[in-house]
Structure formats: C-alpha cells, structure tokens
Amino acid sequence: MKTTEEIFTILKNNFGDAILELVTSQPVEHFIKVNPIEINKVCLFLRENEELLFDSLMNLSGVDDANGQKSADEDGTQIISGGTLSVFYHLESTKLRHKLTLKVSTDREKPEVASVESTWRHADWHEREAYDLLGIIFLNHPDLRRILMPYDWDAGYPLRKDYKNPEFYQGMKVPY
Amino acid sequence: MIYDFFFKLTGSNFLADVIQSLLPLFIFILPFALFAVLFERKVSAHMQDRLGPMRVGYHGILQTIADILKLIQKEDIIPTLADKPLFNIAPVLVFAGSYAAFAAIPFSSAFIGSNIDLGVIFIIAASGFVVAGILMAGWSSNNKYSLLGAMRSAAQIISYEIPTVLVVLSIIMITGTTNLLTLSEMQTGHFWNWMIFGGPQMGLAKFIFIPIMIINFVIIYISTLAEVNRTPFDIPEAESELVSGYHTEYSGMKFAMFFLSEYANMFAVSAIVTALFLGGYQSPVGYLGNLFGAHWLIPIEQFFWFTAKGIFFVFVQMWLRWTLPRLRVDQLMALCWKYLIPIAFVNLLIIGLITVL
Amino acid sequence: MSITIEKNKAERKPGLRTEEMVLNMGPQHPSTHGVLRLELELEGEIIINAIPHIGYLHRCFEKHAEAMNYSQVIPYTDRMDYLASMYNEFGYAIAVEKLLGIQVPERVEYIRVIMGELQRIASHLVALGTYAVDIGAFTPFLFCFRDREKILSLFEQTCGARLLYNYIWVGGLSHDLHPDFVNQTNEFIKYFRPKIKELNDLLTKNKIFIDRTANVGVLPLDVAINYGISGPNLRGSGFKWDIRKDDPYSVYNKFDFDIPVGEGLMGKVGDCWDRYYVRILEMEESLKIIEQAVNNLPEGDVTSAIPKRIKPPVGQVYSRVENPRGELGYFIISDGSINPFRVKVKGPSFVHLGVLNEILKGHMIADVIAILGSIDIVLGEVDR
C-alpha cells in the first residue's frame, strides 16, 4: 500500500517534468497532475512497476473545467473560449490495494490527450465517451468514434458547458 | 366403412372421396388445433404458477376462437422485397404437408382417411414435404433471421428423419407390413401385445424384444419431437435467438396456417408413435362394446383410445417444452448423428438377426 | 476491430470464396435486453466479429445532473439501472455524503443495507430468469418473477413505489420502515430459501442448460481485470473481489457473509455457467445479510441527518459501491454551489458490454444470446 504522496515521489523520480504537481488542497481526494501527452507512458509504468501494480482502471472521466473567457452571444447562450478540458483517471491495484487519481488538463481549443487504451482495454469505451460528450481527442486510440450520441451528430459535444441544442437533427426538430 | 357409408349416402364415388378426405380436417384437425392451443396455454400456465387465459368464456375456453377471429381480421402484410409467389405458397405447402399425413392415420378400425399399403412410408414422405415449405418461407421472406431459421429447420428435419426411418424399418422387419391398419390390428388384445412390449409373438424373442423396443420407442419419440420443432429442439423458431425463425415475417391467416400446422404436426407424430408402438387404436384392457354385445360401440371406443393416447403424447410434448431449455444447433446434430443413429442401427441389426433366426 | 477483419480476409484460401453475412441483432430483438444493436459478422453460424452499437436510450443523465441541485439528481439515478434503483441511490447518497463529510445514523445505514440486498436479490432474479428465457426455458423465468414480486411488494409498502423509489436520500431516507416490515422480511427469507433450491433443480443442474452454458464464453481473469470487469462477472472468473468486503462502505463490515466465486464446476473457470451460478450463490449470501440486519435493526430517526441545504465544499470524490451488476462508481466534482459541477457515472453494464467482442469471437449465434445474458447488462445504465 502506498499513499498518493509516495507514488508522486516515485513518479517524479522516473518521469521528471511530465509529472506536473501533487494537488492536496481539496478535501476527500488528492490527485497528481500529469502532462497529457505523456500520460500513456506514466500509466504503463504505473501498471508494470512492481511496487505499484495498478492493474485496474476504475474510472476515466472527462471534465469541462469552464475556466476560460466567458461571453454571451446575442440570444444569451454562454460561449467559453480558452481554458482547459480535463481527464481524470482513477486507478486501483487489486493486488496491493491502493488507489490513485491522476488528472490531465489540455487546451480547450485543441484538446489532445494520449490514449491509455493499450494499457487498460477498459479505457477504450470511456475514452470514446469522453470524445463523444466533450470532444477530447485521444491520440492513438484505435477506434475513436462517437458512442452514445448518433454517429452523424454534428452539433458539437453535449457535456461542454457552452453546448447549445441544434434546431434540427436530420430534419427532425430537436427541442420539442 | 366410412367410405361405404358416404357412397350409399351420396351415390357418387367422387363425392364420397371428397367428403372422406375433408372429414379429418373438419372433425379432427381444426377442433384439435383449437383445443390444443388452449390446452397448451393452460398447461404452461399451471406449470408456471399462473392461470393463463381467464377472460373469454368460462376459464378462457373461448380464447382460441377469439384469437382466430383476430387473426382472420388482421392485415396480411407482405414485405416489399419478399419473393411474393413463394411467400404466398409456403404456408399452404407447410399446411398441406402436415394435413396429408393425416390421410393414412388410422383413427379407428372403421375410419382411416386412406387405407394405403405404404401407410408409414407415406406419412414420413408427406411430413418431409414440410421442409420444402419451411425453406421457401425462410428464403422468400428476405430476412436473415428467417433464412437462418429455415436452414436450421431443414438440416434438423432431414437429420432426424434418419433415426425415425431406422426405427420404422425395424418395426416393418418384425411385422412385415407397412400398412398402418394392419399394424394396428396385429397389436390387438391387451397391452402386452403392443409393439413396445415386443409385439404379438410369444416366447424367448418377445423378452429380447422388450428392452430393444423400449429403446426404439425413446429414439422415435425424441426424433419426432425434433421433426416438429418442439422444445428442446425448437431451434428453427428459437424466439430468443431468431425472433421466431422462418415465420417471422408472416402475419394474419398465413401465420395462423403455420400455427395450425404446428399443432396438427404435434398430433400427427404422436399418432405415428401411438400406431407403431402403443397398439394404435386398440384398447389396453378390452372393449365395453364386447362386454355389452353392442358391436357398433367398438369403433367409437377405438377412436377414443386413439385420441386419448395421441393427446397424452401431445401433453408430454408440452410438458417437455415448458420444462427444458433449448439445445444449440451443433449439440442437436451431435445428439442425432452420434447417439440416436448408431443406437438405432444396432437395434435394427439385432432385430434383423432375430427375425432371420 | 477493423484490423482483425483484414486479417481474417487475408487468411482465407484462394479458390472457392464465400462472403460473411452481416447480421444486425437488435435494436429490436427479444434477447438483447433492451435496445442494443450488435453487428455480427458471420461465417455460417460462427461469429468472426461482433460490434456493439449503443446509445439508443441515451438521455445524457450527466448533463441533466449539472442543471439540478444535489437532491434532485436522485430520481434520475433511479432511471439508470432500473432493475437496481435502490443501489443507484445508495451509491449516489454515499458519494455526496463523502463530499459533505456527514455521518448518517446507524438505523439509516442498516435500512440502506437491507434495501440494497433485497434489491440485489430482485435484480439477480431478473438476471437469472431472463437468462433462462434466453436459453429457451420459459418456466424458471416466471418462477423468478413470482418471487421478485414479493420483494417489490416490500418496497412498495416501504416507499410507495415498485421500480423507481426515490427512497434513499442524501443523509437519510424519505420514510421510515413500515411497522410490519421486519416480520414480512423474515417471512420472505423463510419463503425464498427453498425457492433457490427449486431453481437449482429446475435449471442449474439441467443437462441441457449445462451443455449450453458450460465452457461457453470463457472470460479469463487477466482479460477481465484489464477490461475493468467487476461484480458477479469478475467473481465468475474466479477472483474473490467484492467492494462490500475489499473496500467496505456503509455498515457492511458488521455482517458475516461469504463472497462466492466461480470454480469451474461444470467447465472452465469464467464460463457462462460460473457467472450464472455465482449469482445464485450471491442470493443466498444476501439473504444472510438481510437476516442479520433485520434482526439487529437499531432504533432511531431516519430523517434527522438530512441536510436542509446541500452545498458541499469545492472538491471531488470518486465513490463506488457494489451494485448487483458490479462496481457502480460516481465521480462528483463540486464547485461549491448547490448544483454538482460534474457527475460522471461508471456503470458496470457499460463496462461489461465493452468486453463482449472479446468473448464472442468463434462462438455461434445461439451463444451470443447465452453470453449476452450471462454478463447481465441493463441498457438504461449503458446509455445513461
């Protein structure tokens, strides 16, 4: 069993700059911020390292941080420009019984995160979901398609805070 | 006898023929199907801790009639891309196949649709006819589920005809006849003269025959069950896999024809098993007609015994259906080719040897 | 997935050529347990590739949750896994309580556990019953539903609803128990124990059922963990892992119960039969828990700890519970307002469906149904 602080030290020694910071300011959960492009290497290390053995990805969730420039268009809808989108990784080791939370933040205009699909196949559908609902592009994902929304949905990503329902989808009126 | 009666009544060969051939349909198949559908629903309901239909008539006895009325009124939907001629012929063909089988079934000593010498062979041939209809239905529906169901059905019916025929063959070797009326007459007397107990002959041969015939009986019962696509062999319909197989696309009366032929078939195979193994229309214990000296009573009693035995086996079919899960296609084929056919062959060989000696 | 198809095509010998048939199973199909579409590539009846398409029931629960305050989310959680609504509320309530840092009275915890375990039995009964129908046996299905009805009546008596309860609230419960609840639950336990045996006699030990399910759809343990499989499916693969024991929440550490695992009694470990049988054994364990909880029920008030205004501090929490189907996780981010900033649900069904292609390859169409039934998905939760 290792605490987040100990794991942070191990990761810092191995990856250096790719590990950004350890966030302990919030109650309940502490997490480690990681560089989005290096996350796949970090995760592979976390799974393979004898002391860590994070063999299970509990959850992967994308979040719209809504921390950019906020403005309103003519009919009052919020538009956010700039800021970040984040992905949280909740890991667990079923052998060593410890848990870890990782966070990556990526640019909202060009949201690119390395895929951890090859480390945990579990991430496959969760990454597709994050792509579908938030528009986060997972680099090297083998099959990055929409999953919950229709394949031909072109009105944006619903979970973004500034998402606006389209008037029509395939000729059908959407707000009913 | 019946034929003579109608001949006297109408004075014409042709009319007598027509009436006699329609008789099983109207006095037996239709009422039986009506009865069997309700019976099945009630049997299944009581096996499953529920009541089944209760609203139409007393305890729902008019439910099937209501269903038939509904089916008649339903729109007859033909899929746009279906092969229309085949799609329309298929239910008729299936129904004709199962109806034709009734022609040679001896309901009693006085009433057999057609007393042909090749009775058993005719029934097997006629029920093989059903395959063509099912394949047509599956192919012409232009639906992949239907097609899969039809292919499964064809494979299944053809495979299971082999053990059926092998068992029938062994009966023919013992009795030397393929006429079902003669076969039933041979099993007269009491139940120990039935074929399942070694047939009418006495002595050592009978004791050797008894276990073999019981095994044969089980084989033919299983394989006829498979031929009429009932659970555990209902893979062509398999509603949880193939929606409902070859009759997925049918509606209204065409669906009703498939439905009707299923129940007709159920009785037909039970009738064959009865006629071959359980003395046909013969009473197990003797006749009231003989007791009272009223000989006209005997054919009626025989009819009663025959339908009673038939319905008992129909009941067993339902019992199995509501108890057992469904086999998979490969397991079904393995059962047929690896177990039933070899055992049937061995039985045939032993019976052949004994009859030669 | 596209890579595997190419490989299959390349391996084929020249000469006589056959084409795969593409069969769309669903979204309207009796055995997909909802509106799931499986795109099956077949060679004869053998599956060479299976692609699930989901989203037909998508309501964007997560977007809804962002627009409501914390207690308004609870009825929406009911509608995700509609066969285990109690447990969805349970998980959500625990997550928000962690965020708030509040302790709930012991009576509330006990009642939550009782309700959760009754829900587990009800949910497993549906899983087992529909599995029997998938395999072709209709009678066990109705037997299971008959028994589930008794549990639903208990729920109805407690909170007035039979399917979507809105019973477990943040910090407490909406109502206290009915005065006769303890009696009736004890009666149910007495009634239900022999019924498990009946189900075993009718279905579990049936030769045809074993033939259909043993050695079919084997899910190896390493694959299962890598795919994030949890709950009875993971235990069916032989891994003794249950969040109720391994990461206890509520008052589960006060009860004595076992964690059944698949042992490969009829075939390989991790086949459909093992997954099925683990559920049967789990029902008995749940009965044990209910029995202990119902007879040691503490006195107290169930609504005293419900906060008037739920306004958690800025922070985030990932909290998980052992839903009847597996690990149900809620990831909640709070920005300090009365509405959650982000609610992400990790539903077990969603995760389990992802492994389908892996175990379907090389099986027959009839096995698709057997395997899909054995992993027991609820489409309401897959699509959320």
Side-chain angles (χ1 to χ4, degrees), chain A residues 80-100:
Chain A
I80 301 172
S81 52
T84 53
L85 297 176
S86 300
V87 181
F88 285 89
Y89 301 83
H90 291 86
L91 316 181
E92 185 191 26
S93 168
T94 56
K95 298 190 183 75
L96 304 175
R97 307 280 160 113
H98 52 202
K99 297 186 210 166
L100 178 67

Side-chain angles (χ1 to χ4, degrees), chain C residues 6-292:
Chain C
E6 289 305 315
K7 210 175 89 194
N8 276 327
K9 278 189 179 145
E11 276 170 5
R12 203 163 298 135
K13 290 181 191 113
L16 263 183
R17 212 175 64 83
T18 53
E19 268 177 45
E20 303 94 358
M21 179 160 94
V22 175
L23 184 72
N24 260 313
M25 192 170 259
Q28 272 83 35
H29 187 278
S31 295
T32 50
H33 295 229
V35 277
L36 165 70
R37 180 158 75 95
L38 285 175
E39 196 181 317
L40 304 173
E41 275 177 55
L42 304 174
E43 255 195 58
E45 284 221 18
I46 309 284
I47 291 148
I48 52 176
N49 206 12
I51 306 165
H53 296 273
I54 61 173
Y56 292 90
L57 273 179
H58 182 51
R59 294 145 289 172
C60 220
F61 160 74
E62 291 164 10
K63 187 79 178 172
H64 275 295
E66 287 172 13
M68 287 177 294
N69 65 38
Y70 283 92
S71 46
Q72 283 174 328
V73 174
I74 291 177
Y76 283 81
T77 63
D78 277 346
R79 284 152 178 81
M80 288 191 309
D81 186 346
Y82 42 78
L83 293 176
S85 299
M86 280 290 185
Y87 236 103
N88 295 357
E89 296 166 4
F90 194 179
Y92 178 76
I94 286 183
V96 179
E97 281 154 17
K98 264 191 198 165
L99 211 50
L100 285 166
I102 57 173
Q103 201 67 41
V104 295
E106 197 160 47
R107 182 174 171 87
V108 173
E109 296 280 27
Y110 268 74
I111 295 174
R112 283 179 179 182
V113 166
I114 294 168
M115 291 301 162
E117 293 308 311
L118 282 173
Q119 184 74 81
R120 189 185 307 278
I121 295 175
S123 168
H124 279 352
L125 280 174
V126 177
L128 301 172
T130 49
Y131 193 43
V133 175
D134 291 347
I135 299 291
F138 209 83
T139 304
F141 167 71
L142 285 154
F143 282 8
C144 287
F145 269 66
R146 174 195 65 195
D147 300 337
R148 175 173 176 259
E149 204 65 15
K150 309 235 178 231
I151 299 175
L152 295 190
S153 305
L154 283 175
F155 286 156
E156 190 180 8
Q157 189 195 47
T158 311
C159 63
R162 289 162 54 81
L163 197 67
L164 308 161
Y165 311 104
N166 191 13
Y167 179 62
I168 297 174
W169 287 0
V170 177
L173 304 166
S174 70
H175 306 77
D176 203 346
L177 292 176
H178 188 272
D180 202 25
F181 180 84
V182 174
N183 255 339
Q184 291 190 10
T185 309
N186 277 326
E187 260 170 43
F188 170 75
I189 293 168
K190 214 184 291 167
Y191 161 84
F192 189 60
R193 282 226 163 94
K195 298 294 172 192
I196 298 179
K197 197 184 162 296
E198 183 187 75
L199 190 62
N200 277 339
D201 290 343
L202 189 61
L203 191 65
T204 316
K205 306 280 165 64
N206 185 302
K207 177 82 173 80
I208 296 176
F209 181 74
I210 293 168
D211 278 354
R212 280 296 305 276
T213 53
N215 291 324
V216 169
V218 178
L219 178 59
L221 184 57
D222 52 336
V223 175
I225 293 178
N226 200 250
Y227 268 90
I229 304 297
S230 51
N233 296 344
L234 181 63
R235 294 193 279 276
S237 292
F239 188 33
K240 205 162 186 157
W241 178 263
D242 189 319
I243 299 165
R244 288 176 294 173
K245 279 255 164 134
D246 291 294
D247 188 7
Y249 52 93
S250 195
V251 283
Y252 273 109
N253 45 12
K254 292 192 179 167
F255 304 118
D256 167 42
F257 63 99
D258 290 334
I259 304 166
V261 291
E263 288 163 349
L265 287 180
M266 297 295 163
K268 288 192 190 118
V269 177
D271 58 9
C272 290
W273 193 88
D274 271 352
R275 287 195 283 274
Y276 164 90
Y277 196 56
V278 161
R279 290 196 172 90
I280 293 244
L281 296 177
E282 260 179 35
M283 291 202 296
E284 291 188 32
E285 299 306 320
S286 292
L287 281 182
K288 265 193 219 168
I289 299 175
I290 297 168
E291 206 168 23
Q292 293 168 43

Side-chain angles (χ1 to χ4, degrees), chain B residues 196-210:
Chain B
I196 192 170
F197 300 116
Q201 75 268 42
M202 277 294 147
L204 186 63
K206 187 175 170 83
F207 288 102
I208 302 170
F209 276 157
I210 288 174

Side-chain angles (χ1 to χ4, degrees), chain B residues 44 47-50 144-145 147-148 152 231-232 234 239-243 321-331, chain C residues 21-25 29-31 45 133-139 142-143 146 206 208 211-212 216 364-367 369:
Chain B
S44 65
M47 281 179 182
Q48 295 165 347
D49 267 12
R50 52 192 183 93
K144 285 166 185 167
Y145 289 106
L147 184 61
L148 274 172
R152 285 178 174 191
T231 312
D234 67 339
E239 78 273 5
S240 61
E241 291 153 30
L242 301 182
V243 193
R321 169 165 179 184
W322 297 108
T323 311
L324 295 177
R326 181 185 307 124
L327 284 167
R328 207 170 53 206
V329 187
D330 54 330
Q331 292 163 348
Chain C
M21 179 160 94
V22 175
L23 184 72
N24 260 313
M25 192 170 259
H29 187 278
S31 295
E45 284 221 18
V133 175
D134 291 347
I135 299 291
F138 209 83
T139 304
L142 285 154
F143 282 8
R146 174 195 65 195
N206 185 302
I208 296 176
D211 278 354
R212 280 296 305 276
V216 169
M364 304 183 94
I365 293 183
D367 294 330
I369 307 301

